[in-house]
Amino acid sequence: DASVERAAAELLPFGPDYVGLAPGAGGREKCWPLANYIALAADLALGGATPVFILGPNEAEWIEPCRGIAGAVLPLQLAVQRGIAVTPMLTIALARRLKAAAANDSGGGHMLAAGDVPLVSLFGPTSPEKFAPLCPRLAVLRAQNFGGDAMDRIPVDAVRRALNTFGV
């Protein structure tokens, strides 16, 4: 829808290299630690990229820590402030404006994939063989490859390296 595309352009105007970060998931056991997303965002900002946090209604307590990253953008919260309807289609339209993204095994990750953004998808207790998003440019990182099932086993530098493969 053209109005959704216009809203996405208002929220993320062309110019910066935006990198999406979707730290939420339906269950917290599927979430890579927020501190890791914050560290990744700080590194991205130092490298000249603009971190874009995609935070849903269940992540309200994460808004302020994410805003603490210099230059970070929280487009869904900005949409609410501007009276723009927050819908899955808006998230997909925002994804189309990103250079790449990282997300947990979550609905947010699937919406980013639907926007055809290069995606680093993080898995711990769930199976990427069953739940990986349909995305032509996908890098899957599994906690099991780092010694366990818990999401905190995935190191920040591994996610950063995976994003680097997408030119970030």
Side-chain angles (χ1 to χ4, degrees):
D1 182 286
S3 66
V4 175
E5 292 293 339
R6 282 192 301 276
E10 177 184 332
L11 297 167
L12 294 178
F14 281 121
D17 282 338
Y18 298 113
V19 179
L21 304 170
R28 293 295 162 122
E29 73 281 356
K30 293 172 35 173
C31 292
W32 195 45
L34 180 63
N36 290 1
Y37 275 103
I38 298 289
L40 178 61
D43 183 62
L44 290 165
L46 284 174
T50 299
V52 175
F53 284 97
I54 305 297
L55 299 176
N58 293 334
E59 291 101 36
E61 72 276 12
W62 293 350
I63 292 171
E64 290 311 312
C66 293
R67 281 191 179 136
I69 300 300
V73 179
L74 285 75
L76 299 180
Q77 285 65 37
L78 186 58
V80 170
Q81 292 172 357
R82 295 184 181 178
I84 297 170
V86 175
T87 66
M89 294 308 294
L90 177 61
T91 301
I92 294 167
L94 290 167
R96 296 171 70 181
R97 306 183 76 75
L98 302 173
K99 185 169 186 173
N104 302 318
D105 171 24
S106 65
H110 287 279
M111 285 185 266
L112 292 171
D116 196 31
V117 65
L119 181 65
V120 178
S121 190
L122 308 177
F123 283 83
T126 56
S127 167
E129 291 78 20
K130 184 173 182 179
F131 297 110
L134 297 175
C135 186
R137 296 169 292 168
L138 178 68
V140 171
L141 295 180
R142 301 184 68 185
Q144 293 82 358
N145 293 340
F146 302 98
D149 291 335
M151 294 293 284
D152 64 357
R153 301 297 298 198
I154 302 170
V156 173
D157 66 323
V159 179
R160 186 66 173 105
R161 282 193 309 272
L163 284 169
N164 285 346
T165 67
F166 298 129
V168 175

